[in-house]
Amino acid sequence: MIILLVGSGAREHALALSLSQDPAVSQLHAMPGNPGIGRLATLHQGNQNSPAEVAALATALAADLVIVGPEAPLVAGVADAVRDAGIPVFGPSGAAAMLEGSKAFAKDVMAAAKVPTAASHTCTTINELAAALKEFGAPHVVKDDGLAAGKGVVVTNDLTEALRHGEAILAAGGTVVVEDYLDGPEVSLFCLCDGSTVVPLQPAQDFKRVFDKDDGPNTGGMGAYTPLPWAPAGLVADVVQHVAQPTVDEMARRGTPFVGVLYCGLALTSKGVRVVEFNARFGDPETQVVLARLETPLAGVLLAAAEGRLADVPALQWRDDAAVTVVIASSGYPEAPVTGDPIAGLDAAEALEGVHVLHAGTATMPDGGAGLVSAGGRVLSVVGIGDGLAAARDRAYAGVAEIDLPGSHHRSDIALKAAEAVG
């Protein structure tokens, strides 16, 4: 099987690692990829958000499957162009990807499908914003309706901060969604979809705030872990029955079948499971830990989804081990990430038992040297795998300790409470 993977982050590196271990994959290509992915796949330069460029490359490669990783190419219609070229693609159409591209659209779909979620108001003026914030009260939840790379949400008790965030979105020509606050822990569940059938993966939890103890601004995610020993029995089946399947059915009813990953961001509230948000692709950094535990070869499952055959796929098999990933971020992240700093210690980290390192924002030395430099806010995801969360944490942080990136920072409490709770 010849596969083209679209994207360049740690999520795509995790996908590439799983695909490279699948005996059914004869050639793995990536556009544009990153230095870590380049060790596993043939890299191709180009604009990942250009439907025409991606479709042309897939055709030239005679690809059997195209996997679109990030949200921006999906909303831009890359999957549509590849399908029009007659090539199976794992990723929703531009119309279906609006489940992530517009939070207001997602709320409309959830209302039609009777999916439990937070009450909300969509605001296009400052007066509407102020009224919505007053109605729901603190904590205030203010979201950019459009794509914001995981950083368009503010949750705060400070009314002034909430107004400022909403006003900035409006001033930039955007639309604001104000929601009622959902209590309880958050869970991420990825569901593979082929337009009608839903196959869930294992749930994970990520850490959005930049600093320990959930302090500081929201980020794209500073770490994640799976499994969730505290999750209620039957959670996955409940989410499929009451969230994912009704949503997929409603999208099909609208004539925009959803093929790809429906990322269900959930809150386990005192009143039951509620949807915080939908994404139309694998989440980052949760993918890094979920795929680390997947034993079933990935390529065949994703091809089955692309071809509408998920109902025929045998039950997925999972490792008993736990997985923890810790994100190493560059100095200044998330407000003003510093790039171009040298990275050292990757080989030493990967030499440790149960540790592998996934590249997110890395680049080769500008002078053509053999080393790497930082090229983004979230630079690396260090993954530890072990017999239980405590062992996986120890391995992940041992890997982090081997890596040197000047001025970098990371959270020290990823999966800590969960590991302590199970002893």
Side-chain angles (χ1 to χ4, degrees):
M1 190 186 306
I2 301 172
I3 293 181
L4 172 59
L5 174 63
V6 178
S8 62
R11 164 186 50 223
E12 287 75 37
H13 194 175
L15 286 163
L17 182 60
S18 290
L19 293 166
S20 70
Q21 297 167 348
D22 188 334
V25 178
S26 57
Q27 293 181 36
L28 182 58
H29 299 263
M31 176 187 184
N34 63 39
I37 296 173
R39 297 168 61 181
L40 306 169
T42 302
L43 302 186
H44 301 266
Q45 295 305 306
N47 181 2
Q48 67 179 23
N49 297 327
S50 167
E53 283 192 42
V54 176
L57 177 59
T59 300
L61 294 172
D64 299 297
L65 175 65
V66 174
I67 301 167
V68 184
E71 60 273 25
L74 292 169
V75 172
V78 164
D80 302 82
V82 174
R83 284 193 185 93
D84 289 345
I87 299 170
V89 57
F90 183 80
S93 65
M98 290 308 290
L99 276 176
E100 178 169 3
S102 168
K103 294 173 180 63
F105 173 78
K107 288 289 186 181
D108 182 66
V109 171
M110 283 188 268
K114 297 181 171 56
V115 169
T117 186
S120 68
H121 287 302
T122 300
C123 308
T124 57
T125 69
I126 292 175
N127 287 340
E128 289 174 348
L129 169 66
L133 290 170
K134 181 179 180 180
E135 177 182 342
F136 290 133
H140 306 289
V141 182
V142 185
K143 299 182 176 182
D144 189 333
D145 179 60
L147 297 180
K151 290 173 282 189
V153 181
V154 161
V155 181
T156 179
N157 287 310
D158 185 337
L159 178 59
T160 300
E161 182 185 2
L163 280 167
R164 187 185 304 120
H165 182 65
E167 289 169 355
I169 294 169
L170 294 173
T175 299
V176 178
V177 175
V178 178
E179 292 186 350
D180 198 10
Y181 177 75
L182 295 174
D183 63 341
E186 293 194 9
V187 173
S188 301
L189 182 67
F190 306 152
C191 293
L192 308 182
C193 310
D194 66 1
S196 57
T197 300
V198 173
V199 174
L201 302 185
Q202 291 289 303
Q205 186 176 61
D206 76 333
F207 293 73
K208 286 280 192 257
R209 301 282 187 169
V210 69
F211 300 126
D212 283 8
K213 299 180 180 179
D214 292 326
D215 194 15
N218 273 344
T219 70
M222 294 298 292
Y225 71 96
T226 183
L228 310 181
W230 47 266
L235 173 64
V236 172
D238 182 39
V239 173
V240 170
Q241 180 180 355
H242 297 291
V243 175
Q245 192 67 59
T247 299
V248 169
D249 292 344
E250 173 62 17
M251 293 297 286
R253 188 191 68 77
R254 295 180 177 217
T256 51
F258 190 93
V259 177
V261 177
L262 180 63
Y263 170 134
C264 302
L266 311 161
L268 307 190
T269 77
S270 55
K271 298 178 181 179
V273 174
R274 297 290 185 270
V275 174
V276 176
E277 65 175 353
F278 283 139
N279 290 330
R281 38 70 191 182
F282 285 108
D284 184 340
E286 301 98 318
T287 301
Q288 288 89 298
V289 290
V290 172
L291 292 186
R293 296 184 57 228
L294 179 64
E295 285 190 333
T296 301
L298 184 61
V301 180
L302 300 191
L303 180 61
E307 295 182 337
R309 299 184 287 103
L310 270 183
D312 301 328
V313 171
L316 301 181
Q317 301 299 307
W318 298 91
R319 297 174 62 168
D320 292 332
D321 288 340
V324 173
T325 190
V326 179
V327 171
I328 297 177
S330 62
S331 176
Y333 178 79
E335 289 92 351
V338 175
T339 60
D341 288 327
I343 304 168
L346 293 180
D347 290 342
E350 295 214 287
L352 298 174
E353 181 180 0
V355 176
H356 62 271
V357 182
L358 301 169
H359 294 221
T362 67
T364 55
M365 287 283 190
D367 60 2
L372 295 174
V373 296
S374 60
R378 293 186 296 170
V379 181
L380 299 164
S381 283
V382 182
V383 182
I385 303 169
D387 182 14
L389 286 173
R393 280 191 86 250
D394 288 346
R395 288 178 171 177
Y397 280 105
V400 170
E402 294 288 347
I403 295 171
D404 180 37
L405 173 60
S408 65
H409 60 97
H410 62 273
R411 285 185 59 157
S412 65
D413 61 350
I414 304 299
L416 178 60
K417 289 183 180 179
E420 290 177 341
V422 296

